[in-house]
Structure formats: structure tokens, C-alpha cells
Amino acid sequence: MESLPISEWLLSELKQSRFPSRMPAHRRVYESIRRAIVSHQLTPGTRLPSTRSLSEALKLSRNTLLAAFEQLHDEGYVVSLTGSGTRVAETFPEEFTETKNIKDTKKTDLAKGATGLSVRGIAAAGLSDQPSYEVQPFAPGEDDFSAFPTQLWRRLLNRQWRAPQPAHLDYGHTGGYLPLRSAIANYLRMSRAVNLTVEQVLITSGTQQSIDLCARLLTDNGDLVWVENPCYWGARRVLEVNGLKLHPVPVDEEGISPGINDFRSPPRLIYTTPSHQYPKGVVMSYGRRRLLLDYAESKGAWILEDDYDSEFRFEGHPLSSLQGMDQNGRVLYLGTFSKVMYPGIKLGYLVVPPELTESFKRGLYQLQRPGQVVIQAALAEFIDEGHFASHIRRLRQIYGERRRLLQEALAPVTKVGASLPVAGSGLHLMVGLPSSCDDVRIAELAAEQGLRVYPLSSYGIGDKREKGLIIGYAYSATERIAPYGRILAEVIQAALSY
Ligand SMILES: Cc1ncc(COP(=O)(O)O)c(C=O)c1O
């Protein structure tokens, strides 16, 4: 772009047919600049032409340009400094989703050239966290498979393979194996107060795929989606790659907390984790649930309820789902077998409102050609024979104990300004840190001690990022939790005592 003035480049960009015909001009300008920033065609610090000169060059009204620039500014892509105009921000929302080596590559190579990737491809392949095959203690999202009943599972699989029905070896075109959908429907009705018939349950290959399907079937390129800030990066990535515009909404101790500015930006989708906000761990209050449901109904928005780890509630009554409170069919409920079984099973489920059932079943088949019916059949038996419920009980006991030990070991950090959660659920907890500290550095210091924790700020979107550490306790053996926890507490104490 250095060889081409930004206004000329923008002019040719706006003529491209990839924009939907209904997309207003300010959105096209905004989207073109945003993509150029994300793909590093426009590098941090680059000065953008004034809205006045762009208005002349592009033959667009000044208000159109002002609206585009305002949006870029509000989302942290650009900064305006008195006297030096508008510049590309040094850090921008997608910053942590891009890999360093992509950043280091010559920027002109990025859009299409040397990598061969599209902008969407770069967003998809830029991993926030490179796969690490050496899992370390406290890594969030890592489970302990030693409690998994391998022999029993093998027996159930073998039973299916002994005389496989031809239909079990084909693609599944019915939305999933019916006995499994039925077992899930019973489980969700009983345990999560989900309001459903078996027809509404679709088997997917996990939450990631469920979100992808929702994005493809319910939105168009450029639509707005509310996401929690901080947000689960897996969801964020899929939504971004589908061309959606993320509107981050803060999260407080009652869960997602939209304010006046948020209500002025009605979304097409709302992605939320009400039972156990990922990553902060808070539970959405009754009042917020009502607010969200009423707002979604009034705007015709769809809510994606990601209920990823609600099986692991260690204290108090089980929580009902948001879907169970929904009287208007606005909630799509997403669940996964990654946590209770094992991630590689690649099975999850999506409960859709009755009016969407047929379209989703067809969309799932057209887009993803689902399969794994043999495994679905074994899983249906695993649930029907009561093994699923007893496995959850066993895991709940193990993980509850690990959480208790970790909380105990970390207790000293509260003396230096950190905070620990009160209630317990899920497979990770968050230690809240003062806003003045560098949580990335503290995570690095923990890594030097062989412990892998994630900085809360890396899940944040925009300039104002909360600080904290996300600590997974599912992976380490119970007897190792207290000693590792004490090491981590010392790292935190030392860092905060400076
Ligand atoms: C918030 C959240 N949702 C869903 C999942 C699981 O997704 P999947 O079913 O795609 O494995 C995870 C995994 O860590 C998660 O953290």
C-alpha cells in the first residue's frame, strides 16, 4: 500500500463486488479499512487521510466517512490525536489472534501473495495460542482422562462394530442418531431444565461447529454479533471468520452487562455463557437473563447459549438454562461432550427453536455431511445405561476436590490485592488481579516455574482489558494441586509485591 495512496486504494476496494449490495457506504469504508488493519496492509502508526480529503477523493459525504472513522475508533482500530490526525492503533482488537510470524512477514505478502491466504484465512489460521503438545499443570481446557472408563467404552464400541448397520456407516442426514438425540433430550430436560422435544436436538461435532452452523444459517456477512468481553476465543474466531462484526459487551458480577450504547447497536446474534461465564466464571443473574431474553425478543435477535461445563457445579442447586426461561423461541442451546467424555470424541449438540428445526437439519447435512453414527450409537447406550450420569458424579467429586485444594493453596494472594471467586463450578477459576499489573508477564513468570496459566487480558477485546489469571484444575493429579498451587501463589505474591 505504500506505493499506492490510501485514498486510491480505498476507491478500488469499495468498487469490489464482495460487499453485499445492501451494505451502506460507511460500513464498506469501515470494513475495508478494518480488514487492511487486521491483515497488516495498514501497519500500526500509519496516518489515515482526513475525512475531508477522503470525502473528495471517494465522492462520498463527509458524514459517511465520519461514521466509518467513528466506528473504527470506538472499536480500537484507530486512535485520534490532537494535531496528528487519525492513525492506526498500536494494538488493535485482533492483535492477540494474529501469530507473531504473520506480523513479521512483509505486509504486502499477507493479503494474498506469499501466504496464499485470504484475509478470512489469516483470521482463521492466526492462532492465539499455538498448539502445545506438552500440556503443563493448570492449563485451562485440559482434562484428566485417567478417570475415563476406557474398558467400558471399548465394550460399547465393539458391540456396535460387531454387526454394524449399513446406515451407521453412511453420512447421517437426520440431524443425528435418533436414540442419542432422545437420550440428550431426556438429560437436558432433567438436568438443565431445557424445554424441548427430541426433534429440536441436532448432533454436531462440538460447540465450535454448532456456532459455525448458527452463524452461517442465521447471519449475513457484516451482521452484528454481541459477544461477552472477555470472550471465549474459540467462539470469537468462528464468528469473525464468518464475516460478523463483533460488538463486545462488558461482563460484571451478574454476567453480560449491556449499557445504553450497546442497546443502540441491536445484534443479529448474542453469544453468551450464562451458567459459567468463560473465562471470568460468573453466573448470569436472573435479572440479566430476563433482560437479555426480552431484548432479544424485541429486536428479533438470536441468543446462542454456550453451556459448555455446567455438569461441574460443586455447590448449591443446579442452575437452570437460559433456554428454559425463554417463552419466545429466541435461544439456541449449545452443549458438548468434550468435557465429560473427551475432546477427541468430537460430538456436541445444538437445541434449536421448533421453527428452525427443519432448516437446521438440512443446513447441517448440506454444509457438513455429519457422520460418526457408530460412535453416536455407543454414546446413546453409554447414557441410557446410566454410565454417563455416574461418570459425571465421579468427575464432579474429583474436580470439586481439586478446586477446593487450589482455592486453599491460592488463599494468600488475597493479601496482595488479588481476588478469588466465591462460588465454585466448572473446570477453571479466575484470580482477579489489580488493573495496574501486567498479567501477561505474571503468566510468563508462572511458565518459568512449569505452570501454564492464561492472562485474562488475552481474552479481552479493545483497550480496556481486565487483568487476571485463568487457571485450569482439571488436568493435574489431585495430590499435585496443592504444591503447584503454592508455587503459583508465590509467583503472584512476588509479582504484586513490587
Ligand atoms: C466456552 C467454551 N465453549 C465450548 C467449549 C468446547 O467446545 P467444543 O465442543 O468445540 O470442544 C470450550 C472448550 O474449552 C469452551 O471453553
Side-chain angles (χ1 to χ4, degrees):
M1 197 171 303
E2 280 144 344
S3 55
L4 197 65
I6 290 176
S7 54
E8 270 180 49
W9 159 79
L10 201 48
L11 192 61
S12 74
E13 212 38 34
L14 294 177
K15 286 187 185 145
Q16 304 226 348
S17 55
R18 68 159 172 257
F19 293 113
S21 54
R22 286 178 296 132
M23 191 185 256
H26 69 90
R27 287 292 308 280
R28 293 175 192 225
V29 174
Y30 154 84
E31 196 51 43
S32 302
I33 298 179
R34 191 190 74 86
R35 284 183 198 185
I37 294 174
V38 174
S39 62
H40 299 275
Q41 288 173 286
L42 283 173
T43 47
T46 304
R47 188 177 175 153
L48 299 182
S50 70
T51 49
R52 195 180 301 280
S53 67
L54 276 180
S55 155
E56 278 168 24
L58 304 177
K59 305 268 179 294
L60 290 173
S61 82
R62 180 113 186 273
N63 280 347
T64 298
L65 274 314
L66 284 171
F69 272 43
E70 204 172 284
Q71 198 170 348
L72 289 164
H73 182 267
D74 287 349
E75 290 174 15
Y77 290 99
V78 300
V79 287
S80 318
L81 299 171
T82 325
S84 74
T86 302
R87 291 179 183 275
V88 176
E90 290 300 327
T91 54
F92 53 93
E94 268 83 352
E95 137 235 77
F96 88 92
T97 68
E98 305 280 348
T99 50
K100 288 210 167 41
N101 53 0
I102 286 184
K103 275 185 177 166
D104 293 342
T105 312
K106 214 166 158 262
K107 64 183 189 299
T108 45
D109 289 346
L110 279 171
K112 295 262 184 280
T115 64
L117 293 178
S118 61
V119 170
R120 184 177 27 209
I122 291 168
L127 300 172
S128 60
D129 206 339
Q130 297 292 358
S132 156
Y133 297 106
E134 193 199 348
V135 180
Q136 289 172 315
F138 294 150
E142 298 296 340
D143 305 334
D144 177 7
F145 307 123
S146 61
F148 186 71
T150 317
Q151 283 194 10
L152 168 67
W153 183 235
R154 190 170 49 222
R155 193 155 46 76
L156 293 177
L157 284 173
N158 285 345
R159 200 188 285 169
Q160 295 302 324
W161 276 117
R162 222 166 281 143
Q165 300 174 28
H168 288 192
L169 304 181
D170 204 347
Y171 298 122
H173 62 274
T174 55
Y177 182 60
L178 189 58
L180 178 60
R181 292 163 65 207
S182 167
I184 292 170
N186 289 336
Y187 165 72
L188 292 179
R189 234 177 260 126
M190 299 285 290
S191 308
R192 309 290 308 119
V194 174
N195 195 357
L196 79 170
T197 64
V198 62
E199 272 306 301
Q200 290 169 252
V201 182
L202 302 182
I203 309 296
T204 67
S205 64
T207 307
Q208 202 83 343
Q209 194 194 52
S210 299
I211 298 172
D212 191 51
L213 191 63
C214 293
R216 284 166 190 252
L217 297 185
L218 300 176
T219 69
D220 290 309
N221 205 22
D223 279 348
L224 200 71
V225 51
W226 279 11
V227 292
E228 295 167 326
N229 188 16
C231 181
Y232 170 48
W233 58 264
R236 186 179 158 180
R237 174 77 32 84
V238 172
L239 295 167
E240 276 176 342
V241 163
N242 273 288
L244 298 182
K245 197 166 103 36
L246 302 197
H247 178 91
V249 180
V251 173
D252 65 14
E253 60 289 346
E254 289 188 63
I256 191 167
S257 173
I260 284 194
N261 282 339
D262 303 309
F263 290 126
R264 283 198 193 116
S265 308
R268 180 85 180 138
L269 290 185
I270 301 173
Y271 168 78
T272 181
T273 46
S275 307
H276 189 226
Q277 202 275 334
Y278 194 90
K280 285 180 76 175
V282 294
V283 176
M284 194 186 291
S285 67
Y286 179 80
R288 289 284 166 75
R289 286 170 190 243
R290 272 264 63 90
L291 179 85
L292 211 57
L293 289 170
D294 292 347
Y295 181 70
E297 167 63 5
S298 71
K299 299 295 174 194
W302 300 105
I303 298 177
L304 308 189
E305 175 179 16
D306 180 355
D307 208 20
Y308 63 104
D309 71 358
S310 55
E311 292 84 5
F312 305 112
R313 187 162 170 81
F314 309 122
E315 296 149 27
H317 296 295
L319 293 167
S320 309
S321 61
L322 186 63
Q323 196 272 6
M325 287 175 65
D326 177 22
Q327 303 288 316
N328 302 304
R330 304 311 307 175
V331 178
L332 292 94
Y333 177 93
L334 285 57
T336 179
F337 288 104
S338 289
K339 306 287 177 194
V340 177
M341 298 295 283
Y342 53 96
I345 195 168
K346 290 300 296 169
L347 287 176
Y349 42 92
L350 176 60
V351 179
V352 299
E355 67 177 282
L356 296 179
T357 304
E358 270 314 308
S359 318
F360 265 68
K361 216 185 276 182
R362 266 183 272 132
L364 177 67
Y365 184 69
Q366 296 298 345
L367 294 173
Q368 289 154 358
R369 289 284 189 272
Q372 304 284 32
V373 186
V374 170
I375 297 181
Q376 291 187 35
L379 184 55
E381 293 203 342
F382 189 79
I383 298 174
D384 286 341
E385 291 177 6
H387 309 302
F388 187 66
S390 50
H391 186 48
I392 290 178
R393 277 197 298 276
R394 192 163 47 240
L395 290 181
R396 205 179 278 149
Q397 210 172 17
I398 296 172
Y399 293 150
E401 174 69 353
R402 290 181 189 177
R403 182 179 176 104
R404 190 186 63 72
L405 291 167
L406 180 60
Q407 292 248 137
E408 246 172 52
L410 290 176
V413 303
T414 55
K415 292 189 213 130
V416 288
S419 63
L420 288 174
V422 191
S425 71
L427 304 178
H428 73 273
L429 63 78
M430 185 193 82
V431 173
L433 296 175
S435 56
S436 55
C437 80
D438 181 351
D439 58 355
V440 175
R441 180 67 195 135
I442 299 177
E444 281 168 5
L445 292 169
E448 284 169 18
Q449 301 296 322
L451 305 174
R452 184 130 192 255
V453 297
Y454 291 166
L456 176 63
S457 61
S458 67
Y459 296 88
I461 306 173
D463 286 342
K464 283 192 232 132
R465 298 186 182 194
E466 293 173 80
K467 304 293 174 57
L469 296 177
I470 309 302
I471 309 167
Y473 44 80
Y475 174 72
S476 289
T478 305
E479 62 278 12
R480 302 304 307 150
I481 293 279
Y484 288 148
R486 283 193 288 272
I487 298 173
L488 184 59
E490 280 167 23
V491 170
I492 297 171
Q493 281 179 293
L496 296 187
S497 303
Y498 272 113

